[in-house]
Amino acid sequence: MLTKWLNNMANNKKDQTTEQRILQAAKKVFIHKGMAGARMQDIADEAGINKAMLHYYFRSKEKLFEVIFREAISNFVPRLHAIFAMRNSLFEKIQVFCREYINVLSENPYIPLFVVNEANKQPYEFLNTMFGNQKPDLSGLLLQIEEEIQKGIIKPISPAQLLLNMMSLCIFPFLGRPIWKFLSGMDDLQFNFLMQQRNDEVASFVINSIKK
Amino acid sequence: MLTKWLNNMANNKKDQTTEQRILQAAKKVFIHKGMAGARMQDIADEAGINKAMLHYYFRSKEKLFEVIFREAISNFVPRLHAIFAMRNSLFEKIQVFCREYINVLSENPYIPLFVVNEANKQPYEFLNTMFGNQKPDLSGLLLQIEEEIQKGIIKPISPAQLLLNMMSLCIFPFLGRPIWKFLSGMDDLQFNFLMQQRNDEVASFVINSIKK
DNA sequence: GTCTATAACTCGATAGAC
DNA sequence: GTCTATCGAGTTATAGAC
């Protein structure tokens, strides 16, 4: 057990357990090709093992996919819930929303494409599973926006549009990354720098737009 | 020929040629399931014809996909090029950019997911084909932003971030549509209304944020 | 042009030796 | 635990009658 744990700590391929190598390979292949496009053979090749081993460890392609997916969102969804449940001033909320969102996605840059694809195929079923049958409650935030407009603190704007704007600004770059790199000619290093910079700037961009 | 043309004009299924019905069905299925997830049987069923007819008209699944895709972007890409090539004031440019972008995508709401997916699989090859080996030139717009900041017309902002913001605000809603519908509880009608409203509001949102 | 039947192939899954 | 070999379901693609 200790040996296994020690092995787990090493990132070196040779020191990884087969199970870990499979998980790492599957993640990569599923992200690039999606559930339908991914082949067990691709995953086996990527992991440098035999196809039969995949079934030995995870029984089926579907189960393997599920493990990957649950691991990916297990850390992600609670943080989303937390963001929507916060009780701060609107400007603070916007700041935390953007920072947390971009941080979470920077750590898991493949999640947006993954989620967007599955959600497009099986919206209700997939998203329900993803959010553990408990969808984040937007109404608190939407109501707060409404109130701040009434009070004259921010400029009039449709609360739904404002929230959609925030989501767009935080999520899109991770979906459009290859397109942006192609158009701008940036390399990975430059793109990552852009994302880091963005972490500070997005909230300001939103707040600048609505503050009086 | 005239008869065929007249047939083309009718949207009624019975008056369409088999070829048209296949294309329409294929579009629908490919959008919902992606290239890998789509089944020729699904397309045949959707078109109300036999599977063999698909091959009679388009030889292979790959060729059919290609036809759908080329048709989809043939109208799309030139308009993108035009947007970047415009010679107006920055605020006018932002307005046209957002309006044109959202208009184009409202007419082809499936393109973003399509492009984002393909671009993630084969960035360079795919995007080059898509843009006809002639990538839109961002530098004009980026330079103009730089200049307006120097002149003190707009607040300081990284030109790249500003452009990425505009793209995010215009494109993301079409990718995140099912997620947004799930979270907000909106139906298709409400969502489409949101997009129409957005057409007017996005440019204002951007301009509000950067104008002094 | 359209259909039925079936060949050819891909891919997930399993059996069984080591 | 790991491998090779192979099965069987599901799919793309084609042959051939009408």
Side-chain angles (χ1 to χ4, degrees):
Chain A
M1 193 54 207
L2 179 62
T3 336
K4 200 180 177 189
W5 184 83
L6 284 169
N7 272 339
N8 290 0
M9 289 301 96
N11 241 345
N12 185 313
K13 239 185 186 179
K14 283 190 179 174
D15 288 346
Q16 283 181 310
T17 65
T18 302
E19 191 174 333
Q20 287 175 310
R21 282 199 288 165
I22 293 173
L23 285 171
Q24 194 177 310
K27 202 164 164 176
K28 189 169 169 184
V29 175
F30 278 136
I31 291 157
H32 274 87
K33 310 203 174 181
M35 165 67 180
R39 302 282 150 249
M40 292 299 262
Q41 188 63 60
D42 300 336
I43 297 171
D45 292 348
E46 179 71 33
I49 51 128
N50 192 279
K51 207 172 50 154
M53 296 307 294
L54 302 179
H55 291 95
Y56 176 76
Y57 279 98
F58 296 97
R59 285 192 64 86
S60 72
K61 182 182 177 183
E62 209 172 57
K63 288 232 190 320
L64 176 55
F65 182 81
E66 222 182 278
V67 171
I68 301 283
F69 181 69
R70 285 191 191 288
E71 195 254 327
I73 62 169
S74 64
N75 172 45
F76 177 73
V77 169
R79 283 166 82 175
L80 280 194
H81 274 112
I83 291 171
F84 284 109
M86 289 186 312
R87 306 196 169 283
N88 299 329
S89 77
L90 181 59
F91 286 178
E92 279 174 344
K93 252 184 192 171
I94 291 173
Q95 259 156 353
V96 177
F97 180 100
C98 295
R99 183 158 21 88
E100 266 290 275
Y101 232 110
I102 293 181
N103 275 341
V104 167
L105 296 185
S106 292
E107 291 163 26
N108 307 279
Y110 48 88
I111 288 191
L113 187 61
F114 201 94
V115 170
V116 159
N117 269 315
E118 298 305 315
N120 266 281
K121 285 175 202 156
Q122 310 241 5
Y124 190 76
E125 196 182 49
F126 171 79
L127 291 169
N128 247 329
T129 311
M130 170 166 160
F131 287 115
N133 293 310
Q134 181 199 8
K135 76 167 94 165
D137 183 21
L138 310 185
S139 62
L141 182 52
L142 294 174
L143 217 71
Q144 188 173 9
I145 295 168
E146 202 83 79
E147 281 169 14
E148 309 254 324
I149 295 170
Q150 296 296 330
K151 288 189 206 154
I153 298 173
I154 63 169
K155 293 180 192 160
I157 185 173
S158 151
Q161 299 287 355
L162 177 54
L163 181 52
L164 190 51
N165 287 350
M166 287 161 56
M167 290 177 59
S168 301
L169 291 167
C170 295
I171 303 173
F172 177 78
F174 296 95
L175 295 163
R177 177 179 177 130
I179 299 169
W180 178 260
K181 280 176 63 185
F182 178 84
L183 289 176
S184 69
M186 283 188 180
D187 60 22
D188 276 315
L189 208 69
Q190 292 171 307
F191 184 85
N192 289 338
F193 178 75
L194 195 74
M195 285 304 104
Q196 248 186 308
Q197 188 188 42
R198 201 167 173 76
N199 205 327
D200 299 323
E201 290 195 3
V202 164
S204 308
F205 184 81
V206 173
I207 291 172
N208 270 339
S209 184
I210 58 172
K211 77 159 181 245
K212 278 194 168 168
Chain B
M1 193 55 204
L2 180 61
T3 338
K4 200 180 177 188
W5 186 83
L6 284 169
N7 274 339
N8 290 1
M9 290 299 99
N11 241 344
N12 186 314
K13 242 186 186 179
K14 283 189 178 174
D15 288 347
Q16 283 181 307
T17 65
T18 302
E19 191 173 333
Q20 288 175 309
R21 283 199 287 164
I22 292 174
L23 285 171
Q24 192 176 312
K27 202 163 166 177
K28 189 169 169 184
V29 175
F30 278 135
I31 291 157
H32 274 87
K33 310 202 174 181
M35 165 64 180
R39 301 281 150 249
M40 294 298 263
Q41 188 64 61
D42 299 337
I43 297 171
D45 292 348
E46 179 70 33
I49 52 128
N50 192 280
K51 213 172 42 157
M53 296 308 293
L54 301 179
H55 292 95
Y56 175 76
Y57 279 98
F58 296 96
R59 283 194 64 85
S60 72
K61 182 182 175 182
E62 208 171 48
K63 288 230 189 324
L64 176 55
F65 184 80
E66 218 181 282
V67 171
I68 300 283
F69 180 69
R70 286 193 189 286
E71 195 255 327
I73 62 168
S74 65
N75 171 47
F76 177 73
V77 170
R79 284 167 82 175
L80 281 194
H81 275 111
I83 291 172
F84 284 107
M86 289 186 312
R87 308 196 168 281
N88 300 328
S89 77
L90 181 59
F91 287 178
E92 279 174 344
K93 252 184 191 171
I94 291 171
Q95 260 157 352
V96 177
F97 181 100
C98 296
R99 184 160 19 87
E100 267 289 275
Y101 232 109
I102 293 181
N103 276 341
V104 167
L105 295 184
S106 293
E107 289 162 26
N108 308 279
Y110 47 87
I111 288 191
L113 187 60
F114 203 93
V115 170
V116 159
N117 270 315
E118 298 303 315
N120 265 282
K121 286 176 202 156
Q122 312 239 5
Y124 189 76
E125 195 182 50
F126 171 79
L127 290 168
N128 246 330
T129 313
M130 173 168 159
F131 288 115
N133 294 313
Q134 180 197 8
K135 75 168 95 166
D137 182 20
L138 311 184
S139 61
L141 183 51
L142 294 174
L143 217 70
Q144 188 171 11
I145 295 168
E146 204 82 78
E147 283 169 12
E148 309 254 324
I149 294 170
Q150 298 295 331
K151 288 189 208 154
I153 298 172
I154 62 170
K155 294 180 192 159
I157 185 173
S158 150
Q161 299 287 356
L162 178 55
L163 182 53
L164 190 52
N165 288 350
M166 286 161 57
M167 289 177 59
S168 301
L169 292 166
C170 294
I171 302 173
F172 177 77
F174 295 96
L175 294 164
R177 179 181 176 128
I179 299 169
W180 177 261
K181 279 176 65 186
F182 178 84
L183 289 176
S184 69
M186 282 188 179
D187 59 23
D188 276 315
L189 208 70
Q190 292 171 306
F191 184 86
N192 288 338
F193 178 75
L194 195 75
M195 285 305 103
Q196 248 187 308
Q197 187 189 41
R198 200 165 175 78
N199 205 327
D200 299 322
E201 291 194 4
V202 164
S204 308
F205 184 81
V206 174
I207 291 172
N208 271 339
S209 184
I210 58 172
K211 77 159 181 246
K212 281 196 168 168

